[in-house]
Amino acid sequence: MFVCLGNICRSPLAEAIFKHKVKNRGLDDVLWADSAGTSDYHIGEPPDSRTVRNALKNGVTVDHRGQQLTVKHLDEYDYIFAMDSQNHASIQRLVNGRRIRAKIDLIRSFDPLSPGGEVPDPYYGGERGFQEVFEMLDRSIEKLIDYLVEENGIRTGT
Ligand code: 4NP
């Protein structure tokens, strides 16, 4: 489960990149992704048109409707990846000290160029910001899938 604030820019893009890569590796029957926002600002809305356009330019189709992260998700998913530390903190507030199924981390802990960084909110910026977000997520998610394959003993047939 990929998580940002609005669930219309960063996290639906992360979900789409993940699904795109997993399909290309023939792993779409074993690895699944979803996305949600920590806010309720854009529930039911399609992704931001700038995100959709930029992703298409990079060969990725984004198809999602905004939803808010809920307590239920914390036990439904194996992993929850936050885009930035603010959203990471919001997820921890939802956890509220309970034991849950999901492991929680920042998605850029997998970024080979800048591990531990954040995916900045592109909402109020220009086109360039959307491409930078795409590239950060592309790098991070490639490594994330390597990790999931290794960690879960998934046979890739390659
Ligand atoms: P996201 O971007 O968290 O990457 O989906 C945002 C989208 C909307 C708002 C903020 C961030 N907003 O304030 O409406």
Side-chain angles (χ1 to χ4, degrees):
M1 173 65 103
F2 297 103
V3 176
C4 61
L5 178 62
N7 193 215
I8 55 169
C9 293
R10 294 165 291 177
S11 63
L13 176 63
E15 175 193 342
I17 292 173
F18 184 91
K19 287 178 171 171
H20 182 81
K21 288 181 181 295
V22 154
K23 192 158 201 287
N24 283 347
R25 292 203 200 184
L27 297 172
D28 46 330
D29 54 345
V30 282
L31 292 175
W32 168 254
D34 195 1
S35 66
T38 53
S39 78
D40 61 3
Y41 304 158
H42 298 284
I43 293 173
E45 291 181 23
D48 188 289
S49 58
R50 297 164 297 173
T51 295
V52 173
R53 210 170 38 241
N54 183 264
L56 263 184
K57 227 165 59 188
N58 289 280
V60 173
T61 302
V62 184
D63 181 19
H64 184 75
R65 287 297 174 271
Q67 61 172 339
Q68 186 173 22
L69 187 72
T70 67
V71 166
K72 188 170 66 91
H73 293 130
L74 305 174
D75 287 305
E76 271 178 10
Y77 289 88
D78 295 311
Y79 305 91
I80 298 177
F81 295 110
M83 298 296 130
D84 61 34
S85 55
Q86 193 190 327
N87 288 302
H88 191 277
S90 300
I91 298 165
Q92 292 297 355
R93 274 195 296 278
L94 201 58
V95 174
N96 197 20
R98 281 187 300 269
R99 281 176 65 93
I100 58 158
R101 174 192 181 100
K103 297 187 180 83
I104 302 168
D105 202 351
L106 286 171
I107 186 58
R108 284 190 80 192
S109 65
F110 291 94
D111 188 341
L113 288 191
S114 177
E118 306 197 338
V119 182
D121 186 350
Y123 192 65
Y124 296 105
E127 196 61 39
R128 194 188 154 89
F130 284 86
Q131 182 60 27
E132 280 170 6
V133 162
F134 185 95
E135 288 171 16
M136 285 169 190
L137 287 173
D138 193 58
R139 293 194 299 269
S140 303
I141 290 169
E142 188 68 29
K143 294 292 173 197
L144 165 62
I145 296 169
D146 290 344
Y147 167 82
L148 293 176
V149 164
E150 178 76 20
E151 181 76 3
N152 295 286
I154 294 168
R155 290 157 59 95
T156 60
T158 54

